[in-house]
């Protein structure tokens, strides 16, 4: 599958689209969360390519050391290569632990706790966006956002603009290589970083991104059953909120 022939041209198109949207919005900057993964690395670099102000946030909640290293490396790389990027770090571990102490009393709530991490990060992003008059930039790719719904509702799914949501994961990897993203980030196994056991995306989904992409693009392959199951289960995320009409 080869949908993209020129990644230089693609970079210009996406960064130009981001720039035009922000200028037409009347707001002043982009705000984006950086996790140490490839999607946020590419999305934040595309925002930086606009030349407009970008606040790149590392939001830590029990961050694993290997993820922290990649996160810090990307923030440093952005700051060194783009004068318009302001890197910021916030540790919300204590906030998360306080909320867990108050509201969660059973291990049966582990999935809810994982999603709570994502929702706390969303709150932090919108706090900064409100403070600096910014747009929150999404980091979801096509498989996550429109295939399997692999994101947290009102967490990393809560964004203002989505620059890479029409790119398959394999295309995001290639764009990352083109942009000069740290090879360790490009080559790292994808993970949402919400679980203490470090489980990968493939562990959670039961199929690889290339398999899911084949299923989305052609309706074939070993990822088709997984795609159909997750797509059906997560329609509540991908469809407009049901509204009773008089």
């Amino acid at each position: 599958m080869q949908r993209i022939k020129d990644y230089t041209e693609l970079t210009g198109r996406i960064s130009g689209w981001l720039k035009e949207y922000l200028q037409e919005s009347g707001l002043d900057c982009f705000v984006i969360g950086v996790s140490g993964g490839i999607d946020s690395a590419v999305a934040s670099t595309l925002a930086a390519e606009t030349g407009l102000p970008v606040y790149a946030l590392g939001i830590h909640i029990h961050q694993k050391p290997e993820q922290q290293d990649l996160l810090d490396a990307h923030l440093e790389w952005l700051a060194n290569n783009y004068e318009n990027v302001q890197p910021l770090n916030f540790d919300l571990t204590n906030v998360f632990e306080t909320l867990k102490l108050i509201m969660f009393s059973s291990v049966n709530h582990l999935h809810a706790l994982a999603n709570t991490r994502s929702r706390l990060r969303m709150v932090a992003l919108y706090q900064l966006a409100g403070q600096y008059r910014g747009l929150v930039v999404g980091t979801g790719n096509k498989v996550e956002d429109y295939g399997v719904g692999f994101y947290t509702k009102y967490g990393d799914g809560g964004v203002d603009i989505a620059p890479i949501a029409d790119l398959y994961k394999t295309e995001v990897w290639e764009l990352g290589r083109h942009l000069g993203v740290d090879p360790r980030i490009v080559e790292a196994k994808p993970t949402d970083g919400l679980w203490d056991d470090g489980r990968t995306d493939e562990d959670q989904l039961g199929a690889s991104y290339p398999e899911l992409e084949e299923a989305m693009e052609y309706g074939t392959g070993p990822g088709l059953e997984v795609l159909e199951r997750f797509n059906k289960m997560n329609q509540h995320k991908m469809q407009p909120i049901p509204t009773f009409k008089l």
Side-chain angles (χ1 to χ4, degrees):
M1 180 180 66
Q2 184 178 359
R3 302 193 310 162
I4 301 168
K5 296 181 179 179
D6 187 340
Y7 282 91
T8 299
E9 188 263 349
L10 178 65
T11 297
R13 284 175 58 200
I14 298 177
S15 61
W17 174 77
L18 283 166
K19 184 175 184 177
E20 181 179 4
Y21 191 92
L22 180 60
Q23 290 174 331
E24 290 182 354
S25 76
L27 296 173
D28 298 331
C29 65
F30 295 110
V31 176
I32 184 166
V34 173
S35 66
I38 185 62
D39 293 328
S40 67
V42 167
S44 59
T45 305
L46 291 168
E49 284 280 325
T50 67
L52 299 175
V54 177
Y55 291 90
L57 279 65
I59 305 170
H60 318 289
I61 302 174
H62 291 302
Q63 200 83 8
K64 289 194 167 298
E66 57 270 24
Q67 294 172 334
Q68 183 69 50
D69 290 344
L70 294 178
L71 187 163
D72 290 340
H74 184 65
L75 288 180
E76 182 179 0
W77 180 83
L78 283 175
N80 289 338
N81 286 276
Y82 298 94
E83 294 182 353
N84 54 312
V85 173
Q86 174 64 57
L88 298 169
N89 272 290
F90 297 96
D91 193 332
L92 298 186
T93 300
N94 288 339
V95 176
F96 173 75
E97 285 299 322
T98 299
L99 184 62
K100 185 169 71 171
L101 183 65
I102 294 171
M103 297 193 67
F104 296 94
S105 59
S106 168
V107 294
N108 294 328
H109 299 302
L110 289 178
H111 194 268
L113 276 171
N115 284 327
T116 296
R117 295 192 193 194
S118 182
R119 291 180 178 126
L120 285 175
R121 290 172 179 149
M122 182 274 292
V123 170
L125 290 170
Y126 274 97
Q127 174 64 32
L128 266 292
Q131 186 172 332
Y132 295 114
R133 302 188 72 253
L135 291 173
V136 174
V137 179
T139 62
N141 61 66
K142 186 169 186 173
V143 175
E144 293 171 339
D145 283 7
Y146 299 112
V148 292
F150 190 60
Y151 57 87
T152 298
K153 196 173 186 178
Y154 306 119
D156 53 330
V159 302
D160 296 317
I161 190 166
I164 62 170
D166 197 37
L167 302 184
Y168 285 121
K169 188 80 168 189
T170 52
E171 294 167 335
V172 176
W173 279 318
E174 286 303 316
L175 183 53
R177 292 186 182 96
H178 171 77
L179 292 169
V181 169
D182 191 318
R184 294 175 299 165
I185 294 176
V186 177
E187 295 164 8
K189 290 184 178 181
T191 175
D192 58 17
L194 301 180
W195 299 88
D196 290 335
D197 60 12
R199 65 190 68 176
T200 66
D201 292 356
E202 187 170 346
D203 291 334
Q204 296 187 65
L205 292 168
S208 69
Y209 279 103
E211 289 170 344
L212 292 168
E213 291 172 17
E214 179 186 348
M216 285 184 71
E217 193 73 5
Y218 305 114
T220 61
L224 183 58
E225 185 275 332
V226 173
L227 173 69
E228 291 176 341
R229 174 163 49 87
F230 275 90
N231 185 276
K232 181 179 180 179
M233 179 174 64
N234 288 326
Q235 280 298 307
H236 69 98
K237 302 180 188 179
M238 297 182 276
Q239 296 295 327
I241 298 172
T243 302
F244 171 78
K245 299 288 183 69
L246 286 175

